[in-house]
Structure formats: structure tokens, C-alpha cells
Amino acid sequence: MKASIYPQYDETLSDLHPDEEKGYGYPARKSSITDIHGSTPYPSSREHVWDLLEVVDQLVRAQLVRWHQTLGYYKHPGQLSQQVAMPEELNAYLESAYQKPGEISLDLPSCLEPYWKRAETMCKVIENRRRNTPRGMQLRVLKLMQLFSLSEQELWVLMACMLPQVEGRYRRIYAYLLDDLSYDRPTVDLVLQILKPLFKENDLPRQYFHTSAPLVSHGLLELSINSPPPAPLLQNMVGVDERIVDYLLCHEKSDGRLEGISKYVETSLDWERLVIDPQNEERLKALAVHLGGHAKDSADWPVLIFYGSYGAGRMQAAQSLCGQISRGLLWIDAKSLLHAPEGFSKTLKRVFREARLTESGVYIADIHAIRQADPGLETLGYLSEQACNHIGPVFLSSDTPQDLAACGQNKKWLSYHFAKPGYLRRKLSWERFLPPEAHFENPRIDKAALCELLANSYRLTGGQIKNAVAAARCEATKRSPLRVSIRVEDLYQGCKNQSSVHLEAFARLIEPRSGIDFDQLVLPSSSLRQLEELRARMRHHQKVYAATGFETRLNLGKGVIAMFTGSSGTGKTMAAELLGQEFGLPLFKVDLSAVVSKYVGDTEKNLAKVFTEAEQANAILCLDECDALFGKRGEIKDARDRWANTEVNFLLQRIEEYTGVVILTTNLKQNIDPAFWRRIHIIVDFVRPDAQARYKIWQGIFPQSIKSPSDQELQKLADRFNLSGGQIRNAVIDAAFRAMTDAGGDTGDLTITPRHLVLGVGREMQKMGSSLTLGDFGEEYYAWIEEGIL
């Protein structure tokens, strides 16, 4: 028998047997392993874990014998589990032979060998039972070893650390072996001593606890539990992460520390339910076939970069791909990940570990948040490293490819652009998400025509269309909870709600007025024909481009650019307002004073923001008095001329790139740069009304609640005064105030007389700088002017 560091007790120890209860020989408890033959398969994964832990139990019993007969021999019973060193104990240490640092001696073999042999027998029985277990029965321990590339020795380290976490008495036993009852987990040194018989001769057990080792790098083990940092490696307390304990014990629940950061999403989404670019769909289908048959380890799994607009189908494509290869999908919010309580790096490691345990893909949304939070890109670099090492597909989702370009180039990175759908795919989405005709307020509505109108007017993604229909349902429910009846206006409002508008600094939203229509817009027949052409182009322009193939043939000029020319008050703004009302589009009137800047380059930046935001909002952009921006380019004589020409050049380019509707208004048509005329699709001339047109304006401007003059009186006013529509409106408003004053503030039976109107016309002419003469008004009207104004 090999001599121990206490040779005087070798003979005594040789008489001990593990089945005897005398001295410090601990009897083995009744084991399920000894009650069966090694051919019985495992009925459950949990029983396999219990058998592995029972092997560790035998090694722990051996360690108890060793401790009592060596380190604990000189301790008084009252000093056990206290940090007290007796002189006799120290002398024994110094009298023993030299032992290399870190080397674990196998003392007392005759006493410990029975426990080791019993553990060895148990291991053989476990191996036999594993082989006889049917393939349909998944043993979690073996799966864990496969997922994280663990060796047999690393498995035993995991079991030894896990033992006190599943059975409370071992916490006391480990603390007893450490001579300190304040410990509830083993130290690295204690684990190595217990498992020494299972290590190979050339093995370096400390390597299993280094930060780069699989057990630690994947977060299966937790070091330095309750240990003051920095502690030497051997003195670190060590435990198994609770998520791993739950996994091995078959507790089907996800890591609670990821709550609010992650969620599992459905992956049973068929390709037919997607509304994405056909080319992307074919590529992803081919990739799914490849991954389903060939991908086995992290070297075979790609990192997929999905970028594009919200609702363009990025998430749904990831769900479908994972469903095709029979994997789950773990969705991660990048913003929440950045602010995780345990820190970004540690939480990200938990995310990828959770995905491995559940054999799921990882979908990280809003990557741009990480890029904005860390301009140095160190965080994105760490994310890139973790993504490349994951066994399974990883999807990094962002709005633009620039958010991920700094992650580095790698053959595993595959980029997919999810563009906004064209007219035909938008129409399919509307047909899919719109409810049946019976759910509309007007059951006779032409659903097909409505789908065409909505697809043509709003450049929304599939997700936005789904949200718009849901918003319309909510609006209808608020109006009538008992019977939900959707109006077309509800759908228009739902579409507007999907647009993120940040134009307040540069433009003003023109709210549509109720009770006005194109019949109230008084224009000559030629101008009305021009306006009708514009309405037809707005109604069908998306359909024409998609159906005829111009959408793929043309790169620029796919929007609608119209110019309204004419003097002030001729109805230009009203016409733009009616167009927005007819097609349910928001109308923004650009404030040139906010856009134009004296600083070089700022005007172009402001215009770029205006066009970008308007395009995202599916808005009609109205540039009033556009000749201030679209003026003719001139000869460059100084730096100011050069920058002025640069602004015009930028506008020429940007307005042609715009895919929405732009309405330009001016009363100085001759000042527009000739290069803009090619880019303008429709010109509508708003001329000053003639006598007959003015009569129609006078007739249609009075509300029904007001008593107005007779048609003969209105005809006389129209024949005598050459006013624009805006001036007539102002004159009528002035007359209404005069009538209210004469009535003493009484609103009942408010009557506007010809005298009130003539005085209103006089004030309007004064504003324009005209003299109020007898020749202009005639004797009857001039008498009222002398009395009321002059």
C-alpha cells in the first residue's frame, strides 16, 4: 500500500471498507444502478442524470474518508468546519514529502479504492444503458455535450458542481470538506480532488476552468461565486448556472433573466403567406434546403443580414426559413439588450446559449441601436464574433446595410435587401388583409377597386398594411362597438398612422375641410381638363408602372410632379387640398423660410430631410412660391452664384428621385429654370376668373345658414368687380362681420345684404392698393362706400 502523509495510520486505514460503518468508512446507500442489469434502457433523461450524480456521490464519500484521516485528523471535534490550524496539523504538512504545486496526491488508496471501483462499475452500467436507450429518447446530458463540445472529463466537472444544487445535504458536505460551513458550493480545488480518479495521467484539470474553456466561455459554470475578486483559480467557488440545471432536469422553461429582452416566435409560417420580393424568396428557399441537409456545426451556419423598411417581411422570412429547417426562432430586442441589468456582453452570451439549448435561430432586431450607442463599434464586433460561433442561423436586422458594414467581412455573412413592395405586391397584401364586404359600412363597396386605390395611393409594406387594417377596425369599434362597420376614411386614417412624419420644422400639415369638393372649384374648362389629367395620373400611376414594366425599366421620374401656375387667390391651394382629400393623402405645405438657410449646404440638407420624410409619410408635398427655389441658374461671377446654382442642381436631382406626389405653385412661371420643365408631368393653369366664373364663386361661397343676396345682385357684383376667388372669399367674410354687428351679435337669421358685400369689396380693393372711385363702383355702390368707408 502506498504510504500516505500519515504513515502511522496506514495499517489502520487498510482495514476500512466502504460497506462498513465503523471508523470513517461510509456505507454506500442503496443504488438504482445495483438493482438492475446494465441492459435496461433509460426511461427518461432525468434518470440518466441521477445515475451520473450517484457516481459523483461515491467519489465524494471517498473524499470524506481522505479528509478525516488526513487534514481533519488533528482537529478537535469542536474545531471542525472552523478556520483553525493546530500545530500538530502544520507539523504533519511540513514532515510530508514535497508535492508539486497544483498536484493532487492519491493518498490512502486501500481505503478509497472500493469507492473508486464502485464508481467505475457504475460508469460501465451507465454506458450500457445509454447504448440500449432508443434513439427517440433524447438524453439531455449527451445533447449538452454535443451542443457545447464538452469532453467526458468536463461532463464530470459539471456533475460534481451540480450535485449540491439538486440535493441540499451536499452543500453541507462540501462545506465540511472545505472546513468552512459558510461555503455552499465547492471550490475548484475541491472539485479537482474529488474527480482526480477520473482524470487521465496527462490531463491538466485546471484547463477546464479557464475563461476560454467551453464550460466557462458558454456560461455553463459560474466562477468566483461569493469569492472576493481577484481570487486564485483554485480558491474560486464554482457552481452550475441555474438554466443549465433546469435543462438537465428537463424543466421546460426559458431563462428568466432574458425576460423583456427575448421571446420565442412562431416558425410555422408558410412561404405562401409571405409578401416579399420573389427573388429573395427563391434565394431563401434554396438556402433552407441547403441548411436542412448539410449544416451541422458553427462553421456551416451563415449570418444573415436583413435590411429594409419596417414591415417589409424581414421577420416573417426568418420565421419561414427556421420552420423549413425545423428550428425555433429566438427574437431579441437590441435596445433592451443594450440596457440589460447584467451588461451587454454577459446577456448576449446567455442569449446564444439559450438558442443553443433550444436549437433555435437568433433574430436580433434594430441593430442600428447598437451602432448608435457605440460609435467605436466594439460592441458590434463582439456581437459579430458571437454570431459567427453560433450553431444555427443568426439574423441581424436593420434599416440600412451601413448599420452592419463595420462588423467585418466574412464568407458566412449573407446580405438580403427587403425593399418596399411594388404596386402589385401591395395590392395582394390589401386583398389578403381587408375584411369581407359585409364588414364595411357600405356593403356594396367594390373591394377590388378599393384595393387598387389603396395600393396606388400608399407605398406601405405588408406589415404596415396589416397594421393599417387593424387601426381601421379599432376606429370603427370606437364609433360603434356593437356592430363594427369600417369606412374608407378609417382605412385612410389607418394608413396615415403608419407613416412616421417629422416635417413639423419645415412644413405645415393642411387639414382637409369638410363640405368641399371639386364641384366648388371654379376654373375654365381647359384648366379643369388639366386638373382631371392630374387626378387620373395620381389614381393610376403606380398601376401603370407595374403593369407595363416601366417600374423596372425606369430608375428616375416614377413620381407625380405637377405645377400650378396663376396669381394669388385663384384656387391653387384649394385644388391641392382636394387632391389630398380625394386620395386620403396628407398634404404638407413647405415653409420656405424654414428650409432656406444662409449657411452653405444647409438648404440642401433641409430639402433632403423634407423629401425623405414626405416619401416615408406617403404625403403630397406642396412647395408654394417655388420660383424662390427653382429659379433660373445664372452665370457664376462669385461664390454666392456658385452655391445658388448648386441648390438648383440638387433640386433637379432630388425631385426626379421622389416617388410620391409633388405640387409646385408659382405666379412667376417665367422665372423657373428650363431644366425643371422636363421633370414636370402636369401643368395646371389657374387663371383669374371671368364674369361668369366669378358669379359661380359668389353663388357657392355662402353657407346655408346665412341669408345671401339674390342671384341678380350677385350677378351685378360679378360683372362689375374683377376679383379672384380668394378676394371674393375675403369680401364675404368681411361682410359677415358687418352683418353680425348690425344684428347686435344675434346669430339667428343672419342676413348679408348687397351693401355689406360692397363694403367688403371696398376694403379688399384698399388692401390691394386700389383707389375707391365712382367709376369703379357706380353711383349706387359708391354711395355705400362714401357712407361706410370714406
Side-chain angles (χ1 to χ4, degrees), residues 222-345:
E222 295 179 330
L223 291 174
S224 301
I225 301 175
N226 299 332
S227 300
L233 178 61
L234 293 177
Q235 296 179 19
N236 272 269
M237 292 179 66
V238 59
V240 180
D241 188 272
E242 286 300 323
R243 175 66 181 101
I244 303 302
V245 175
D246 290 338
Y247 175 81
L248 292 176
L249 298 182
C250 302
H251 295 166
E252 303 299 339
K253 60 180 181 179
S254 58
D255 197 329
R257 291 162 293 190
L258 298 179
E259 187 175 352
I261 299 173
S262 68
K263 64 179 179 181
Y264 285 97
V265 295
E266 175 193 3
T267 57
S268 58
L269 196 64
D270 296 332
W271 294 106
E272 288 73 18
R273 293 174 58 189
L274 300 186
V275 187
I276 63 174
D277 183 80
Q279 189 177 19
N280 274 346
E281 183 176 339
E282 291 304 317
R283 289 176 178 175
L284 291 171
K285 282 182 177 178
L287 179 62
V289 172
H290 167 72
L291 295 179
H294 298 89
K296 294 180 180 179
D297 54 35
S298 59
D300 299 319
W301 291 101
V303 177
L304 306 177
I305 301 175
F306 285 180
Y307 65 94
S309 303
Y310 165 78
R314 292 171 289 174
M315 180 69 173
Q316 289 77 9
Q319 291 174 269
S320 295
L321 190 147
C322 287
Q324 289 295 307
I325 60 177
S326 302
R327 283 185 172 259
L329 183 62
L330 185 61
W331 177 88
I332 306 297
D333 178 23
K335 296 178 182 178
S336 301
L337 185 64
L338 279 170
H339 302 97
E342 291 186 308
F344 175 82
S345 300

Side-chain angles (χ1 to χ4, degrees), residues 615-629:
E615 198 159 25
Q616 292 179 353
N618 297 283
I620 297 177
L621 204 57
C622 182
L623 295 171
D624 201 13
E625 306 299 339
C626 67
D627 48 275
L629 285 174

Side-chain angles (χ1 to χ4, degrees), residues 140-148 158 244 247-248 357:
R140 290 286 182 94
V141 169
L142 302 183
K143 190 64 180 178
L144 190 76
M145 294 176 68
Q146 176 189 346
L147 291 174
F148 297 99
L158 197 67
I244 303 302
Y247 175 81
L248 292 176
L357 292 174

